[in-house]
Amino acid sequence: MNTEQPPFRSGFVSIIGRPNVGKSTLLNRILGQKIAIASPKPQTTRNRILGIHNLDDGQILFLDTPGIHRATGKLNRYMVDQAMAACADVDVVLFLIEATDRPGGGDDFILDVLSRSSVPVILVINKIDQVSPEALLPLIEIYAQKRDFAAIIPISGLKGSGVDALVKATYDLLPPGPRYYPEDMVTDLPERFIVAEMVREQILKQVRD
């Protein structure tokens, strides 16, 4: 009888995509609490935000990044640089797209960047709660022809559908490794930063309304 325990797995996972595809909403859903601003306003996330997801047999370190787009202006270029840097030296990349949108130049730009790396990429089709299941098949076929993904997983970051399957697929791609952070930590950001971000989110809501 084999009683050998499976190895503890851990690693860093970048969440990337165009602006406003739901990266922060997904991270908050995975962690079960809010650490990242979620807003319809594009480019709300300005820095890389680390979210720590603890499992009994692993630890997944998610990096929420600013949306990748053709940058103009110093702030936009800085945010895109932050997102691009998050694609390096990680174990897995989650490439988020919207189920409600067809691929465009921004998505092809991201795919071109990812083609220069050997890191496994999971295509995450977000916002499936806004489309019929039949509408997903053509989108999956289009992206499957663009590159070989480690997995293609439809989800709703808002509703939670498919998120558990995404976490499992991500975990299965991680190498054996240590627990980098204590089990009671969900981010390495100071509380002051989180509070400031929540205030900024409320201001953005008031401006939008």
Side-chain angles (χ1 to χ4, degrees):
M1 181 177 179
N2 186 6
T3 59
E4 184 178 350
Q5 294 295 318
F8 189 92
R9 295 179 181 272
S10 62
F12 289 83
V13 178
S14 288
I15 306 175
I16 69 169
R18 289 182 294 108
N20 209 28
V21 294
K23 298 181 294 294
S24 297
T25 298
L26 172 59
L27 178 61
N28 292 335
R29 170 66 65 175
I30 290 172
L31 299 181
Q33 58 183 286
K34 178 175 266 187
I35 69 165
I37 289 181
S39 170
K41 181 178 174 59
Q43 293 304 103
T44 302
T45 300
R46 295 180 177 176
N47 301 282
R48 284 181 289 172
I49 296 176
L50 176 66
I52 305 165
H53 184 57
N54 290 292
L55 304 165
D56 291 339
D57 52 358
Q59 187 176 73
I60 310 176
L61 308 173
F62 290 98
L63 293 167
D64 182 23
T65 66
I68 297 177
H69 64 295
R70 296 188 184 280
T72 58
K74 290 183 178 180
L75 178 58
N76 280 342
R77 284 198 298 270
Y78 165 76
M79 290 190 289
V80 171
D81 287 344
Q82 287 282 298
M84 303 296 281
C87 295
D89 300 324
V90 296
D91 299 287
V92 181
V93 170
L94 305 184
F95 174 30
L96 257 68
I97 63 170
E98 293 180 293
T100 55
D101 199 9
R102 288 296 177 264
D107 298 299
D108 288 337
F109 173 69
I110 295 172
L111 286 169
D112 179 62
V113 172
L114 294 176
S115 69
R116 306 169 203 168
S117 170
S118 59
V119 174
V121 178
I122 297 177
L123 179 68
V124 184
I125 305 176
N126 194 21
K127 304 183 182 181
I128 61 171
D129 52 299
Q130 299 181 22
V131 300
S132 67
E134 293 78 14
L136 291 176
L137 295 177
L139 189 61
I140 290 173
E141 290 177 0
I142 290 172
Y143 274 95
Q145 292 175 4
K146 290 179 177 291
R147 70 163 289 155
D148 290 329
F149 292 98
I152 299 177
I153 302 180
I155 69 158
S156 169
L158 184 63
K159 305 288 187 180
S161 304
V163 173
D164 287 345
L166 173 60
V167 171
K168 184 181 185 307
T170 302
Y171 170 81
D172 289 343
L173 290 170
L174 296 180
R179 188 181 294 278
Y180 290 95
Y181 294 91
E183 291 184 65
D184 59 347
M185 286 186 66
V186 293
T187 184
D188 64 343
L189 296 170
E191 184 177 352
R192 179 180 297 180
F193 178 89
I194 299 295
V195 172
E197 287 292 276
M198 296 305 108
V199 171
R200 188 161 68 91
E201 181 180 45
Q202 293 304 312
I203 293 173
L204 289 171
K205 284 182 180 179
Q206 292 175 12
V207 170
R208 187 176 76 249
D209 296 339

